[in-house]
Amino acid sequence: MAHLEAFSPDYATARKRFREAATRLEWETFAFPIGSDEETGEQFVVDVAVSGGSAGGDPRRTLIVSSGLHGVEGFFGSAVQLAAMENWAKSQGPACRCVFIHALNPYGFARIRRADVDNVDPNRNFLLSGERYQGAPERYSELDPLLNPPPPPRLFDGFLLRGAWTVMRYGMPALKQAIAGGQYDFSHGLFYGGKEPGPARRLLELKLPGWIEGAEQVVHLDFHTGLGGYGTWKLLLDSPLTDAQRTWLLERFDEGCFEEPGSAGSDYVTRGSIGRWLVQRKFAPNYLYACAEFGTFSPISVLSALRAENQVHRWKKPEAAATLRAKRTLLETFCPASPTWRTRALGGGLDLIERSVAGLSLRAQAGAA
């Protein structure tokens, strides 16, 4: 059960441990406050650690590892980042430059929500130039009363039964696209993309060029949970690959380990995803973004947990029993407490990072030769 101690019990602990691990590696750290709790005074901060100095690795080849874009999913992503840094503290560090971005949605991490303080899903907020923050899939409008019921929540409301019937009626592929593809008209609803660029996007637009200055090749692993088989992982790509990028991926991973946009196995197409935006902005000549998705429970179970938490967030006080129960369920849904899941998923995350570092390092060595 090595590295299981890398899982932190809360956002504040995770943040503290992340910064301490980066300091031990003598990486440069940055802190970007993007809000605070008016009642408690707690700050919500995005932390960034960049390897540097003589042991900082070749800056032309840069690995970015980001966590917590969907707040509650940061519990897993933070654990992977911490475990990777602790491994490097005991051995030789990576030969490429590393940029670790911790808790892109710190509010969601701290408050055990997937969305940010404005109920915006940050991974639907990165619209491309010319795209407008408006519109919703037609079926989302039909499903809104089921997804976002207006009355205060009841202990038993039959959602799982109604959800199963809805899947039978529409089919799972069409339902996933309608619900999770992104919508901009229902501000209290699930998968809401907002009305303007949010804090995560503004921060990356302003600061990312400096963190990866001089990079020729970037590999960006953005850690997520909740989609796929229990404890398994897949790299989800939402921008077309170049031939060189596809070759690089095939050299590092089996073909079945990554999924290109529009492929037969694609679950759904999202509007406003961070990957498309990063690639379009051309922050580096060769920018390969991959959503590193780790599966937990069934789609209907995940949707049920999201729906319940969103409902109590809107209608119940934070200290209410229903709120605490929904938060516990959401956390378990996106970061299962099972040692089996955590061991398997964490091992997979570390393997992803090590394979990516090895691939970037080989390119760097070849360039030097």
Side-chain angles (χ1 to χ4, degrees):
M1 299 206 306
H3 291 304
L4 287 186
E5 66 276 8
F7 287 87
S8 298
D10 52 50
Y11 160 73
T13 303
R15 182 182 178 226
K16 179 175 181 290
R17 298 176 74 191
F18 175 84
R19 293 183 63 84
E20 289 174 347
T23 299
R24 284 193 292 272
L25 285 171
E26 298 183 348
W27 289 11
E28 190 173 8
T29 58
F30 307 89
F32 302 97
I34 57 172
S36 62
D37 188 303
E38 293 182 359
E39 294 185 4
T40 66
E42 179 184 14
Q43 282 198 325
F44 306 123
V45 181
V46 177
D47 288 292
V48 178
V50 182
S51 63
S54 59
D58 186 347
R60 295 173 300 170
R61 317 296 174 185
T62 297
L63 174 69
I64 300 175
V65 179
S66 53
S67 68
L69 183 64
H70 288 142
V72 67
E73 298 172 32
F75 283 90
F76 172 65
S78 174
V80 176
Q81 291 174 315
L82 179 62
M85 289 191 290
E86 288 183 340
N87 280 349
W88 290 330
K90 301 171 186 175
S91 62
Q92 185 175 3
C96 62
R97 174 173 55 189
C98 289
V99 178
F100 278 25
I101 308 172
H102 185 265
L104 272 167
N105 175 12
Y107 169 85
F109 196 160
R111 294 296 176 261
I112 311 183
R113 300 212 75 210
R114 192 171 185 265
D116 71 9
V117 68
D118 296 313
N119 195 48
V120 172
D121 179 332
N123 206 30
R124 304 297 183 274
N125 184 252
F126 287 79
L127 292 182
L128 303 182
S129 177
E131 294 182 326
R132 304 178 68 181
Y133 288 89
Q134 62 183 41
E138 180 180 356
R139 285 203 176 105
Y140 190 99
S141 304
E142 298 173 15
L143 295 167
D144 185 64
L146 174 65
L147 298 173
N148 312 299
R154 295 171 290 175
L155 187 58
F156 300 105
D157 67 356
F159 171 73
L160 289 178
L161 182 61
R162 288 183 291 157
W165 179 85
T166 305
V167 171
M168 292 177 61
R169 179 184 178 187
Y170 293 107
M172 183 59 79
L175 205 57
K176 283 183 177 180
Q177 185 61 55
I179 295 173
Q183 58 86 14
Y184 303 83
D185 292 346
F186 299 85
S187 59
H188 294 294
L190 301 176
F191 302 97
Y192 172 60
K195 291 300 181 185
E196 62 183 7
R201 174 175 161 169
R202 294 197 300 268
L203 176 63
L204 291 177
E205 191 165 29
L206 181 64
K207 297 295 183 179
L208 184 59
W211 301 336
I212 65 171
E213 184 178 5
E216 299 170 4
Q217 181 184 14
V218 171
V219 174
H220 185 160
L221 300 177
D222 186 30
F223 279 88
H224 289 258
T225 58
L227 180 65
Y230 191 80
T232 66
W233 61 266
K234 182 170 282 190
L235 298 177
L236 305 181
L237 312 167
D238 53 8
S239 290
L241 295 172
T242 66
D243 290 340
Q245 288 173 336
R246 188 176 294 105
T247 298
W248 188 91
L249 283 167
L250 289 171
E251 288 174 350
R252 308 316 314 169
F253 309 103
D254 296 332
E255 187 170 8
C257 292
F258 61 92
E259 188 175 283
E260 298 188 51
S263 65
S266 297
D267 278 89
Y268 49 85
V269 178
T270 59
R271 288 184 65 192
S273 64
I274 187 175
R276 287 197 314 148
W277 181 83
L278 287 166
V279 172
Q280 190 224 35
R281 293 303 304 269
K282 299 185 184 300
F283 289 110
N286 181 358
Y287 197 112
L288 174 59
Y289 167 90
C291 168
E293 185 71 58
F294 287 72
T296 56
F297 299 100
S298 70
I300 196 70
S301 296
V302 171
L303 182 60
S304 176
L306 287 170
R307 173 185 181 269
E309 190 281 329
N310 191 52
Q311 192 178 20
V312 297
H313 179 78
R314 183 178 181 186
W315 295 103
K316 292 287 189 179
K317 293 182 178 180
E319 66 274 13
T323 301
L324 299 177
R325 183 168 56 249
K327 298 286 186 182
R328 287 194 298 269
T329 299
L330 192 73
L331 178 55
E332 174 64 19
T333 299
F334 285 97
C335 187
S338 161
T340 300
W341 185 88
R342 291 190 172 191
T343 299
R344 186 177 182 184
L346 190 57
L350 290 172
D351 186 49
L352 273 174
I353 289 176
E354 290 300 334
R355 290 190 190 205
S356 299
V357 166
L360 287 166
S361 299
L362 286 173
R363 293 293 178 87
Q365 294 166 7

